[in-house]
Amino acid sequence: MDLTEIETFLALSEELHFGRTAERMRLSQSRVSQLIRALERRIGAPLFVRTSRRVALTPLGEHTRRTLGAAYESLRKGYDEACAIAQGMVGTLRVGFLGCLNGPPLTDTVVAFGRRHPACETTVTEVPWRDPYGPLRNGEVDVLLTLLPVDEPDLKVGTVLVSHRRVLAAGAGHPLAERASVDIEDLADWVLLDGPAELPEALRHGFCPPFTPLGRPLRRGKGGRTYQEALHKVATGETVWTTHQGLFHAYRHPGVVHRPLSGLPPANGALVWRADTENAKVRAFTALAAQMASGRASAQGGAGGREL
């Protein structure tokens, strides 16, 4: 039995239209008719009733659609699994993310990856702010969505997936909370939350530099080890926090407000992974993420652009 005959029969049994079936199968209408007649000759009876107005399955056609459809799906599944094994796309891909970067770009990539590679299970885990690279290095996750910059020789950095406007978080009663917006130069007179002591220096200084663009030193105070602890410290009025809009998509504190912050670059997030453990699953996931990010950028550019 010709597999093309089966695929064409199943397509026509769904479309019930020779023209649409021809487009779907990328065949001519005459070729679709030839394949259906050949299958009917093999079986020995008509599978469709054809008139000038409609195409319908015969009772035998309905029975054939159910039996051949199930067999075809089983065959396709077995073929896809064999391809997945050959390509290394089986097992589990463990994806980590910083909580402040959670959102549609990550979720959409995970969903699309699962559909494209059904033989590969994907798990998603939040990694702690105080130790963003630890789970990657100890093997708990295979790929990680984290904040930039990343200056770690053992880690590879992929395409930017998320980009958030910078904001200043301040206690509701803080003088800076009364402003409509804040510039980084305005912060030289205040103590800034420093974040966990374990944060890599490149990330710490890249996110909040030790000096303003005009050279004024920025004072730092000890920060919390989690995002909620940091928000608590900000709410007490002890410190203010140069963070980003994405954080407030996921976290809230009733005593904290945030205002637009100028003078600092956007907060960007990208996938990173260990160079020495890169495999087919990691390459496929990061390539898909880059492709989807490019598509979003094109769509946003055409629409005038918007924040992720």
Side-chain angles (χ1 to χ4, degrees):
M1 187 179 295
D2 189 333
L3 187 59
T4 305
E5 292 176 3
I6 297 175
E7 291 175 333
T8 304
F9 164 74
L10 292 173
L12 182 58
S13 69
E14 292 180 5
E15 301 290 349
L16 297 177
H17 189 283
F18 278 85
R20 290 195 297 269
T21 300
E23 291 179 4
R24 177 170 163 180
M25 296 297 297
R26 297 183 180 179
L27 300 171
S28 67
Q29 288 193 46
S30 61
R31 180 57 177 158
V32 170
S33 297
Q34 291 172 2
L35 291 167
I36 295 301
R37 287 197 298 269
L39 183 60
E40 289 176 327
R41 284 195 300 270
R42 291 178 189 276
I43 292 176
L47 300 174
F48 294 93
V49 176
R50 307 163 178 83
T51 69
S52 59
R53 295 185 177 180
R54 63 191 289 266
V55 177
L57 285 161
T58 65
L60 178 60
E62 287 283 3
H63 171 78
T64 305
R65 179 186 63 80
R66 290 193 300 270
T67 55
L68 281 185
Y72 178 79
E73 286 304 315
S74 178
L75 179 63
R76 173 61 66 183
K77 181 179 179 181
Y79 174 81
D80 289 344
E81 288 178 352
C83 290
I85 292 171
Q87 297 167 8
M89 298 305 299
V90 293
T92 302
L93 177 71
R94 298 162 299 179
V95 180
F97 69 96
L98 281 179
C100 65
L101 298 179
N102 196 15
L106 175 63
T107 306
D108 292 348
T109 303
V110 169
V111 170
F113 182 82
R115 290 173 179 166
R116 184 172 295 189
H117 303 288
C120 181
E121 179 186 5
T122 307
T123 63
V124 182
T125 304
E126 182 179 357
V127 303
W129 181 34
R130 65 181 182 276
D131 186 22
Y133 311 139
L136 194 60
R137 287 186 169 126
N138 65 27
E140 292 179 36
V141 300
D142 303 306
V143 62
L144 168 69
L145 178 60
T146 190
L147 287 167
L148 300 179
V150 174
D151 184 17
E152 307 289 328
D154 60 325
L155 303 183
K156 297 180 71 172
V157 181
T159 302
V160 170
L161 299 191
V162 293
S163 185
H164 293 297
R165 299 183 182 94
R166 299 302 298 272
V167 299
L168 180 75
H174 196 281
L176 292 176
E178 300 175 1
R179 300 190 184 185
S181 63
V182 181
D183 186 81
I184 187 65
E185 297 293 341
D186 301 328
L187 301 184
D189 298 325
W190 305 97
V191 177
L192 308 185
L193 186 136
D194 197 29
E198 300 92 338
L199 279 182
E201 284 303 296
L203 179 58
R204 184 190 307 279
H205 290 163
F207 208 68
C208 182
F211 299 93
T212 72
L214 295 180
R216 302 178 70 190
L218 293 172
R219 294 181 294 155
R220 299 170 184 269
K222 291 183 178 179
R225 291 168 58 82
T226 68
Y227 293 120
Q228 291 291 8
E229 288 180 9
L231 288 171
H232 170 77
K233 289 185 71 68
V234 171
T236 65
E238 297 177 34
T239 182
V240 292
W241 187 12
T242 56
T243 183
H244 59 87
Q245 184 67 47
L247 180 99
F248 290 94
H249 294 167
Y251 299 93
R252 292 286 188 276
H253 190 293
V256 175
V257 300
H258 57 280
R259 299 289 182 259
L261 176 64
S262 59
L264 290 178
N268 293 329
L271 292 174
V272 301
W273 61 97
R274 288 172 52 185
D276 63 343
T277 59
E278 181 180 301
N279 56 33
K281 296 189 288 289
V282 170
R283 286 191 292 271
F285 187 83
T286 54
L288 176 61
Q291 177 186 352
M292 294 178 68
S294 177
R296 285 192 299 272
S298 298
Q300 290 162 12
R306 64 180 178 85
E307 181 189 14
L308 292 173

